[in-house]
Amino acid sequence: EVQLVESGGGLVQPGGSLRLSCAASGFTFSSYWMSWVRQAPGKGLEWVANIKQDGSEKYYVDSVKGRFTISRDNAKNSLYLQMNSLRAEDTAVYYCARIRWGLDAFDIWGQGTMVTVSS
Amino acid sequence: EIVLTQSPDFQSVTPKEKVTITCRASQSIGSSLHWYQQKPDQSPKLLIKYASQSFSGVPSRFSGSGSGTDFTLTINSLEAEDAATYYCHQSSSLPHTFGQGTKLEIK
């Protein structure tokens, strides 16, 4: 079964850091681009970042550039999102999603992990 | 950034009814438009990719059409399990963007 499972969410103070992980199974992880998409409570979906199969290309939404870093470990079938300098507006459920190439549909989604930035 | 505008924002419908949701892009995106269904407390699920291609396992009552700037998601013979919020998404250029969502309530 194709599956994505996120972890690492929690409560963090403004200015703090958090690292999210996404474990992939049931498909050849190294053959796919991967993405992070977030959803603030009661709001719509917002794309956060993309990473190419070998990690050589990374793209971010402007609001997280310089603060968030997407990475992957193909040997561990894992995707990561390092989030620094967190702000209240980063509060959201963070989903990892599979994508065949950088400009494609998100065909498989994880269940999400909640990040709350609050003092 | 390409802005996607969905209409309506909310619709209350009865089972077996035909539903149409539209998505308009702020500039031409060819057929790089995708539709997702999100039920309460669940992650989004891909329904339609590239405007009209049904994703694997999606019931045949869901269909999509359009190109350029105007797109439509149609649900034929609505079922109670279709109560959800539906989002369009463009992948023509970065950043990926989504419509604001259309919430379907089943009467």
Side-chain angles (χ1 to χ4, degrees):
Chain A
E1 179 191 5
V2 175
Q3 197 171 11
L4 298 170
V5 179
E6 301 93 335
S7 61
L11 174 64
V12 61
Q13 292 188 339
S17 298
L18 211 55
R19 188 195 196 206
L20 306 184
S21 299
C22 171
S25 59
F27 66 99
T28 304
F29 180 73
S30 59
S31 296
Y32 289 84
W33 285 66
M34 294 296 295
S35 297
W36 288 98
V37 178
R38 67 184 179 182
Q39 186 171 35
K43 302 297 184 182
L45 300 166
E46 180 183 38
W47 168 77
V48 174
N50 271 2
I51 185 168
K52 194 177 180 180
Q53 290 93 330
D54 61 359
S56 61
E57 294 183 36
K58 304 176 184 182
Y59 301 94
Y60 301 91
V61 68
D62 283 350
S63 59
V64 309
K65 282 179 183 174
R67 301 188 299 122
F68 289 12
T69 302
I70 188 171
S71 63
R72 64 191 297 161
D73 185 336
N74 289 339
K76 295 183 177 180
N77 291 334
S78 293
L79 176 72
Y80 306 102
L81 186 66
Q82 178 66 44
M83 303 186 295
N84 298 331
S85 303
L86 282 161
R87 306 166 179 167
E89 54 265 35
D90 296 318
T91 295
V93 174
Y94 285 74
Y95 297 102
C96 66
R98 191 179 79 171
I99 190 169
R100 292 178 299 175
W101 55 82
L103 292 174
D104 189 24
F106 304 111
D107 65 348
I108 303 295
W109 297 64
Q111 87 289 348
T113 188
M114 181 71 203
V115 173
T116 303
V117 184
S118 174
S119 55
Chain B
E1 171 175 320
I2 296 173
V3 177
L4 298 179
T5 304
Q6 292 181 229
S7 62
D9 291 332
F10 176 86
Q11 192 168 4
S12 184
V13 292
T14 55
K16 299 186 178 180
E17 194 173 333
K18 178 180 176 180
V19 173
T20 298
I21 299 171
T22 64
C23 179
R24 176 163 288 176
S26 59
Q27 63 190 76
S28 179
I29 57 173
S31 62
S32 297
L33 191 285
H34 321 291
W35 292 96
Y36 302 84
Q37 176 193 66
Q38 186 178 33
K39 296 182 179 180
D41 298 319
Q42 293 187 17
S43 56
K45 289 181 170 55
L46 179 63
L47 294 175
I48 304 289
K49 59 181 182 178
Y50 295 101
S52 61
Q53 299 175 23
S54 293
F55 187 58
S56 175
V58 173
S60 58
R61 63 182 180 275
F62 292 92
S63 63
S65 64
S67 66
T69 60
D70 294 301
F71 301 86
T72 300
L73 173 70
T74 300
I75 311 173
N76 284 300
S77 193
L78 192 79
E79 297 190 5
E81 66 182 26
D82 299 334
T85 300
Y86 294 83
Y87 294 94
C88 58
H89 153 229
Q90 69 80 23
S91 65
S92 175
S93 63
L94 292 180
H96 290 267
T97 51
F98 293 86
Q100 80 277 16
T102 294
K103 185 173 183 178
L104 277 188
E105 174 191 85
I106 311 299
K107 293 178 183 174

